Amino acid sequence: MAQRQPLAKKSGQGASGREEARSARNWKSGLGQGAHPRAGIGGCLQGVEGERQAGWERLDVWKQKAGIRTEAKAGDPCPHGEPSAPTWGSPSILTRMEQPKGVDWTVIILTCQYKDSVQVFQRELEVRQKREQIPAGTLLLAVEDPETRVGSGGATLNALLVAAEHLSAQAGFTVVTSDVLQSAWILILHMGRDFPFDDCGRAFICLPVENPQAPVEAVVCNLDCLLDIMTHRLGPGSPPGVWVCSTDMLLSVPPNPGISWDGFRGARVIALPGSSAYARNHGIYLSDSQGFVLDIYYQGTEAEIQRCARPDGRVPLVSGIVFFSVETAERLLATHVSPPLDACTYMGLDSGARPVQLSLFFDIVLSMARNVSKEDFLVGRPPEMGQGDVGIAAYLQGARAELWRELRDQPLTMAYVPDGSYSYMTSLASELLHSLTVPSTPRAQTVHSQVEELELLEPGSSVVSCVLEGPVWLGPGSVLQHCHLRGPIHISTGCFLSGLDIAQSEALHGMELRDLILQGHHMRLHGSLGRVFTLTGRLDNWERQGTGTYLNMPWSEFFQKTGIRDWDLWDPDTPPTERCLLSARLFPVFHPLRAVGPCDLLWMLDPKQDEGEALRAWRAAWRLSWEQLQPCLDRGATLASRRDLFFHQALHKARHVLEARQDLSLHPLIRAAVREGCPGPLLTTLDQVAAGAGDPGVAARALACVADVLGCMAGGCGGLRSGPAANPEWTRSFSYLERGDLAGGVEALAQERDKWLSRPALLVRAARHYEGAEQILIRQAVMSAQQFVSTELVELPAHGQWVVTECPARVDFSGGWSDTPPLAYELGGAVLGLAVRVDGRRPIGARARRIPEPELRLALGPQPDDMTVKIVCQSLDDLQDYCQPHAPGALLKAAFICAGTIDVCSKIPLSEQLLRAFGGGFELHTWSELPHGSGLGTSSILAGTALAALQRAAGRAVGTESLIHAVLHLEQVLTTGAVLHDCPSRARLGRAGLGVGDRIVSLPFW
């Protein structure tokens, strides 16, 4: 055996500045950091574990402002006497709340059992870091287990060694040293064993929830929920150390679990409540009144379970989560050089050591339990070892002896979270379906999916990351994930379909699926990528022990129904105890004449239709068992296929949101497309929407989204988004838009855009020009406000009679400028403003009167009796600068034009227009006692007073709503571009869209 170096002694070398800052930020903050509520995806699992008594009790899915509360009522009982998971609520809404900072992890490690999957899961961690689920400075590591059967304890020791080795190298050490643990927060996530219902394991099973607060849109899987729980619920307040978390369970934890870390040392397990019935098949903790763990029972007797029971009758379940202090972690790390524990690490494997299987909880953690004697501990065996590994009992005893020597004096405490819930994801399909559906919901759950005929999805069903074209019926209690199907397809109750696409849809036509699990898999055989399909029953038993079934029937009945014989599935020398669903060669992977498909299995549901042809084809195919398939599965291709389907439906969503003018932000989707390397298809879709839009408002938003995509591609580099947008290279594109050729303008913009994608500075400049193009369309859209301007004829005032209008100023309490495009497109616009007097007076006003002379006299000043600027317009030429905001009297000239008093484009002279319509001209004075640029609404309110006075002087009355739209129109004519909140006055909440035919709604606040 090669010589290995022991851990370096502590050298006194301090932690890096980053580590010290992290230590001060996380450790000194104590519980205060964890006390903040957070509406994150960890909260979407929040609930109280139900019981099977008269029926399912109420399940609180999201609590304490963490989301939506729903109820789960009577359903099928689970085998263990309670629901297999927290129930999901509405996927479409989460309460928007401030998100407190979570743990700034130093290292996050994801362990996996297949070496071919290391790079795949490494990328998944990096993707989540790009989504801002993981701190930017966290070191991410996907680590292969040294051997397939090292157990959760061996995987933990190996992961801890890898983390310490990387941190030691970063700190400049030449050997592994425990110094690096002193100011490190390490999270180890274990992938666990294979899962029959997801090729990537329980960590990647997708959940029927979405988090609209997330900065990046993505499907939520169990790994995401656990990351959120560890980072924002359990982890905050903990000292430096090592958190270890399994991923084979569904958890819910309240926002503030109330865990105190005062005076903590040693190790701490997290326990969640469960029923006595559930505990019969699970692990539970026995603790004393001070929280010290006395013992851990697995599948305990009734007496042991009652000994662990809390006053409310619940028992503390082993939740798969444990925390090791720095001292305890150092001691555990030190065992990697001590035989036989060295065999748990890759170093031991590389040195030729014989592998040993260790359990995290029933070997490592159990050694610290107070009531466990050394004799009992040394002769015990962990549950995950099973009963067939007698030959290594002595080897395991040596490993346990080493653990006892290193860890026995470390205190072990339990943190019990009474408001949380826990459920292990078993291999029972009925439990999984119950976990992923809510029977009591009034409608189906559709998350990140595009469904053409929603009415065909029955309440209690669930659709996640799917595209369903045409009639697809889905019965209650059934789940679709990662499928692109084209109907007609009829899926009844109790089904789980995953990984199917349009190519497999035809095989499902004309069938009614019930209580079936149909999955499509990506596999690689001899370097070639292919598809394989598996079909099982909802009630099938995946365990080696117990009654064997397939397609919900005993093997004997299956053989009689299909004509298949046991020698088709197992070798003659296979022992009867090994003849089970796991080892049955049921699933065709290669056919000599055609590609395999679901039809190669679906025939078993009704084998009498083709006179044995399907059976002969099935026997002619090369088939593998489920166990044989697992090493061949291409998990990278699986996740890539899911990602492609997610973005396929996301493009449908983007198109629908834009064309239907929905008040839904596309920013999270834009970030997802850019950060996961898929901006091209999104840009193409946005171009298509803009070019085909009949509404300039829709096209404007689409172009604003293109600008956001380009800005996101720049990655925060290249300068500010605001800036000039008049580069001559873009002039041709703008000219198309100005003359109403939307399709030509969008095409020209896209052609020019392709020249500006090479570096961040060009991307930012291109984004500015797209915003310039968007402003052209916004102006066209807002000009349509004129259609909502109506007037009523009233008595014409006499010559010389003044009409005076005065208005208060406006103060914005909330949301000022939030209604201004493009901000309003993706973030919404709602402004609360209050009309105020200044020194007891309305500071903004206008007065107008008719005069005999056929001319326009304009005056502006700071006071009603102090006109500092006087202008006389005697011809239409004097009005031509109405669209130049800085020209003297431009606003007043625009008011005459927008009020319809004169037609500036007419060939009839000004004097003749005035004499014909009014028998003379007008004099219009405006004033404002507020400083220019005060932000108190001076310009738009001044426009409103001028229009109101002028219309009344011309014998027309205008209502409040018409006046609001008239001001919008005026400021577009003036080219200042009014924002919507400038218009409503008094205390009002103003909301509006920006499309052709949009009407502003101004709601009184009281």
Side-chain angles (χ1 to χ4, degrees):
M1 182 178 294
Q3 187 70 29
R4 293 191 299 279
Q5 294 292 330
L7 282 176
K9 300 294 184 182
K10 293 184 178 179
S11 63
Q13 178 174 335
S16 68
R18 176 177 177 275
E19 291 166 337
E20 290 173 351
R22 194 199 325 266
S23 176
R25 185 162 59 249
N26 285 6
W27 174 227
K28 293 182 181 179
S29 64
L31 283 177
Q33 193 173 7
H36 293 278
R38 178 180 187 268
I41 53 178
C44 69
L45 298 178
Q46 176 59 32
V48 179
E49 187 182 59
E51 299 277 359
R52 172 63 176 175
Q53 297 173 353
W56 298 110
E57 295 177 353
R58 174 173 296 185
L59 296 178
D60 291 331
V61 183
W62 288 294
K63 300 176 77 176
Q64 301 179 13
K65 297 184 180 179
I68 302 303
R69 180 172 299 220
T70 62
E71 295 182 0
K73 297 181 181 178
D76 295 334
C78 288
H80 299 319
E82 59 185 65
S84 61
T87 309
W88 315 108
S90 166
S92 61
I93 305 174
L94 281 175
T95 303
R96 295 179 181 272
M97 302 174 64
E98 179 183 357
Q99 298 188 9
K101 181 175 175 59
V103 179
D104 190 4
W105 299 108
T106 311
V107 185
I108 293 180
I109 294 181
L110 183 63
T111 70
C112 52
Q113 59 176 320
Y114 298 110
K115 65 179 181 180
D116 294 339
S117 302
V118 171
Q119 289 301 319
V120 174
F121 295 136
Q122 176 74 31
R123 183 188 184 279
E124 289 302 307
L125 289 177
E126 293 168 355
V127 165
R128 282 155 178 78
Q129 194 169 53
K130 293 178 181 178
R131 293 178 189 161
E132 303 176 27
Q133 295 175 242
I134 298 174
T138 301
L139 175 63
L140 304 177
L141 299 170
V143 176
E144 175 197 1
D145 293 340
E147 286 285 340
T148 304
R149 294 177 61 84
V150 296
S152 57
T156 298
L157 179 56
N158 183 67
L160 180 57
L161 172 61
V162 172
E165 184 177 8
H166 278 77
L167 292 178
S168 297
Q170 283 186 352
F173 291 98
T174 57
V175 292
V176 178
T177 172
S178 60
D179 278 3
V180 295
L181 303 180
Q182 292 296 316
S183 56
W185 278 262
I186 298 174
L187 174 61
I188 298 173
L189 298 161
H190 289 312
M191 287 284 293
R193 301 175 183 176
D194 296 324
F195 189 45
F197 312 115
D198 197 292
D199 291 346
C200 298
R202 293 169 172 86
F204 289 92
I205 191 73
C206 290
L207 308 179
V209 295
E210 57 185 325
N211 180 19
Q213 287 183 288
V216 180
E217 188 164 319
V219 173
V220 176
C221 65
N222 191 38
L223 176 64
D224 301 308
C225 282
L226 293 174
L227 277 171
D228 184 81
I229 287 172
M230 298 306 301
T231 302
H232 296 278
R233 295 173 184 250
L234 294 177
S238 65
V242 180
W243 283 94
V244 184
C245 178
S246 173
T247 61
D248 57 8
M249 70 290 190
L250 297 171
L251 291 184
S252 70
V253 176
N256 182 14
I259 301 174
S260 174
W261 297 95
D262 295 339
F264 169 78
R265 62 180 295 266
R268 172 165 290 169
V269 294
I270 304 298
L272 295 168
S275 68
S276 297
Y278 194 81
R280 296 190 189 105
N281 294 281
H282 199 70
I284 54 177
Y285 294 113
L286 175 65
S287 64
D288 63 16
S289 59
Q290 295 180 313
F292 288 98
V293 176
L294 304 179
D295 209 338
I296 310 176
Y297 302 130
Y298 179 72
Q299 295 182 341
T301 65
E302 286 298 323
E304 290 172 334
I305 292 174
Q306 291 306 312
R307 200 177 304 144
C308 297
R310 315 287 288 188
D312 62 357
R314 315 283 276 176
V315 294
L317 298 174
V318 175
S319 69
I321 302 175
V322 62
F323 175 76
F324 298 110
S325 68
V326 170
E327 179 186 0
T328 307
E330 285 178 335
R331 294 196 178 200
L332 180 60
L333 180 60
T335 64
H336 87 279
V337 295
S338 303
L341 291 176
D342 58 347
C344 293
T345 69
Y346 82 93
M347 286 188 176
L349 180 66
D350 290 350
S351 301
R354 177 186 175 188
V356 61
Q357 185 174 9
L358 283 182
S359 167
L360 173 60
F361 289 93
F362 294 96
D363 283 319
I364 295 176
V365 174
L366 186 63
S367 69
M368 296 178 271
R370 286 192 169 186
N371 283 6
V372 176
S373 67
K374 182 176 182 180
E375 293 74 18
D376 291 341
F377 179 71
L378 293 182
V379 299
R381 72 173 52 233
E384 53 197 86
M385 177 179 290
Q387 300 300 317
D389 302 313
V390 180
I392 65 170
Y395 199 51
L396 175 62
Q397 185 172 339
R400 282 192 158 200
E402 187 63 25
L403 290 173
W404 185 273
R405 184 180 67 82
E406 285 287 349
L407 302 177
R408 182 57 189 172
D409 63 345
Q410 294 294 294
L412 177 63
T413 55
M414 179 185 76
Y416 181 67
V417 185
D419 293 331
S421 66
Y422 166 93
S423 184
Y424 179 76
M425 282 189 279
T426 70
S427 57
L428 297 175
S430 56
E431 289 193 2
L432 177 70
L433 291 173
H434 185 83
S435 302
L436 300 180
T437 56
V438 183
S440 62
T441 53
R443 61 182 62 86
Q445 295 170 287
T446 55
V447 180
H448 297 302
S449 297
Q450 298 299 311
V451 182
E452 287 187 0
E453 301 188 34
L454 273 170
E455 68 276 7
L456 301 183
L457 308 182
E458 294 192 39
S461 61
S462 172
V463 179
V464 180
S465 191
C466 291
V467 176
L468 304 183
E469 303 175 8
V472 177
W473 286 267
L474 187 63
S478 289
V479 175
L480 295 180
Q481 293 194 349
H482 316 297
C483 289
H484 186 176
L485 300 178
R486 180 176 295 156
I489 294 174
H490 200 130
I491 302 166
S492 188
T493 59
C495 291
F496 179 82
L497 275 67
S498 176
L500 306 178
D501 56 37
I502 287 183
Q504 289 89 52
S505 294
E506 187 175 352
L508 304 178
H509 294 173
M511 304 191 70
E512 181 175 355
L513 305 183
R514 183 186 299 271
D515 293 330
L516 295 172
I517 313 299
L518 177 59
Q519 301 177 81
H521 311 267
H522 295 265
M523 65 179 303
R524 191 172 294 276
L525 282 174
H526 307 296
S528 298
L529 184 63
R531 299 296 307 276
V532 64
F533 302 89
T534 57
L535 178 69
T536 57
R538 178 176 68 88
L539 303 177
D540 287 348
N541 182 5
W542 287 86
E543 303 297 329
R544 294 186 184 277
Q545 298 81 24
T547 304
T549 63
Y550 182 58
L551 296 182
N552 306 312
M553 66 187 82
W555 284 110
S556 58
E557 182 180 341
F558 171 75
F559 292 149
Q560 182 179 3
K561 178 179 180 179
T562 62
I564 294 174
R565 299 293 178 256
D566 57 355
W567 58 76
D568 290 319
L569 305 181
W570 301 287
D571 293 333
D573 57 350
T574 303
T577 56
E578 294 294 318
R579 298 190 177 193
C580 61
L581 179 54
L582 291 170
S583 60
R585 293 189 297 270
L586 283 161
F587 310 117
V589 297
F590 177 78
H591 194 281
L593 300 179
R594 54 173 174 78
V596 298
C599 58
D600 291 305
L601 295 166
L602 291 170
W603 69 270
M604 299 176 185
L605 303 177
D606 190 8
K608 299 178 181 179
Q609 287 187 344
D610 62 354
E611 300 180 351
E613 180 62 30
L615 173 60
R616 289 189 290 272
W618 178 83
R619 280 180 168 150
W622 177 27
R623 305 183 309 278
L624 295 178
S625 68
W626 190 85
E627 282 182 327
Q628 292 170 327
L629 279 176
Q630 295 311 299
C632 304
L633 294 177
D634 191 324
R635 292 165 180 84
T638 298
L639 292 170
S641 174
R642 293 179 184 180
R643 186 165 53 253
D644 291 343
L645 182 58
F646 170 79
F647 281 113
H648 180 76
Q649 66 81 28
L651 295 181
H652 282 273
K653 170 186 173 179
R655 179 184 295 274
H656 180 71
V657 166
L658 293 171
E659 293 178 344
R661 297 169 61 186
Q662 291 184 335
D663 187 16
L664 185 65
S665 175
L666 293 177
H667 274 169
L669 176 55
I670 289 171
R671 295 190 191 100
V674 172
R675 296 182 186 183
E676 298 195 34
C678 306
L682 180 56
L683 287 172
T684 300
T685 298
L686 295 173
D687 289 341
Q688 293 170 351
V689 172
D695 181 343
V698 172
R701 184 179 178 186
L703 295 185
C705 287
V706 172
D708 288 335
V709 173
L710 297 174
C712 193
M713 290 172 65
C717 303
L720 298 174
R721 282 284 298 275
S722 59
N727 189 292
E729 299 294 327
W730 298 82
T731 302
R732 183 174 69 93
S733 306
F734 290 172
S735 66
Y736 281 112
L737 300 179
E738 291 284 8
R739 61 175 180 259
D741 185 356
L742 191 55
V746 171
E747 182 180 1
L749 285 169
Q751 291 173 354
E752 187 61 32
R753 180 183 68 211
D754 291 340
K755 307 173 186 176
W756 296 65
L757 303 179
S758 59
R759 62 181 189 273
L762 292 180
L763 286 165
V764 169
R765 291 168 63 191
R768 294 172 184 167
H769 284 81
Y770 263 92
E771 289 176 350
E774 159 223 330
Q775 292 298 325
I776 295 173
L777 299 180
I778 289 174
R779 185 170 70 251
Q780 295 172 1
V782 178
M783 288 288 282
S784 66
Q786 189 177 21
Q787 66 183 289
F788 298 112
V789 180
S790 61
T791 60
E792 180 182 350
L793 293 177
V794 294
E795 184 180 354
L796 193 67
H799 283 285
Q801 182 180 345
W802 286 104
V803 176
V804 181
T805 59
E806 291 181 333
C807 285
R810 187 203 70 247
V811 175
D812 291 336
F813 287 131
S814 175
W817 290 94
S818 70
D819 58 353
T820 308
L823 182 69
Y825 285 140
E826 306 310 322
L827 301 179
V831 182
L832 178 62
L834 181 68
V836 296
R837 298 188 182 191
V838 178
D839 295 331
R841 301 194 305 273
R842 296 182 178 90
I844 304 169
R847 62 182 181 180
R849 65 177 178 178
R850 295 171 58 216
I851 57 176
E853 296 80 8
E855 62 186 17
L856 303 179
R857 298 175 184 174
L858 315 178
L860 302 85
Q863 300 290 337
D865 55 353
D866 183 13
M867 296 291 108
T868 57
V869 178
K870 296 182 180 180
I871 303 169
V872 177
C873 300
Q874 297 178 329
S875 70
L876 293 178
D877 290 339
D878 296 332
L879 296 168
Q880 294 303 320
D881 57 354
Y882 70 91
C883 59
Q884 301 176 23
H886 299 292
L891 186 147
L892 279 65
K893 296 175 183 178
F896 278 101
I897 295 170
C898 293
T901 307
I902 62 164
D903 182 359
V904 74
C905 298
S906 174
K907 295 182 179 180
I908 302 173
L910 174 63
S911 59
E912 189 173 343
Q913 290 187 42
L914 293 172
L915 287 171
R916 285 182 183 179
F918 305 104
F922 289 91
E923 185 173 350
L924 177 61
H925 296 186
T926 60
W927 62 88
S928 173
E929 300 175 14
L930 301 173
H932 181 70
S934 64
L936 298 177
T938 306
S939 60
S940 57
I941 296 175
L942 195 63
T945 61
L947 282 170
L950 183 58
Q951 291 281 26
R952 185 63 184 83
R956 297 187 288 258
V958 59
T960 301
E961 184 176 315
S962 290
L963 185 60
I964 290 172
H965 289 88
V967 171
L968 269 179
H969 178 243
L970 184 150
E971 293 216 337
Q972 290 302 317
V973 168
L974 190 62
T975 68
T976 57
V979 294
L980 305 183
H981 73 267
D982 277 341
C983 304
S985 61
R986 205 159 64 108
R988 293 175 178 265
L989 182 68
R991 296 180 62 87
L994 276 174
V996 170
D998 270 336
R999 181 188 295 268
I1000 297 173
V1001 179
S1002 181
L1003 303 174
F1005 191 61
W1006 57 77

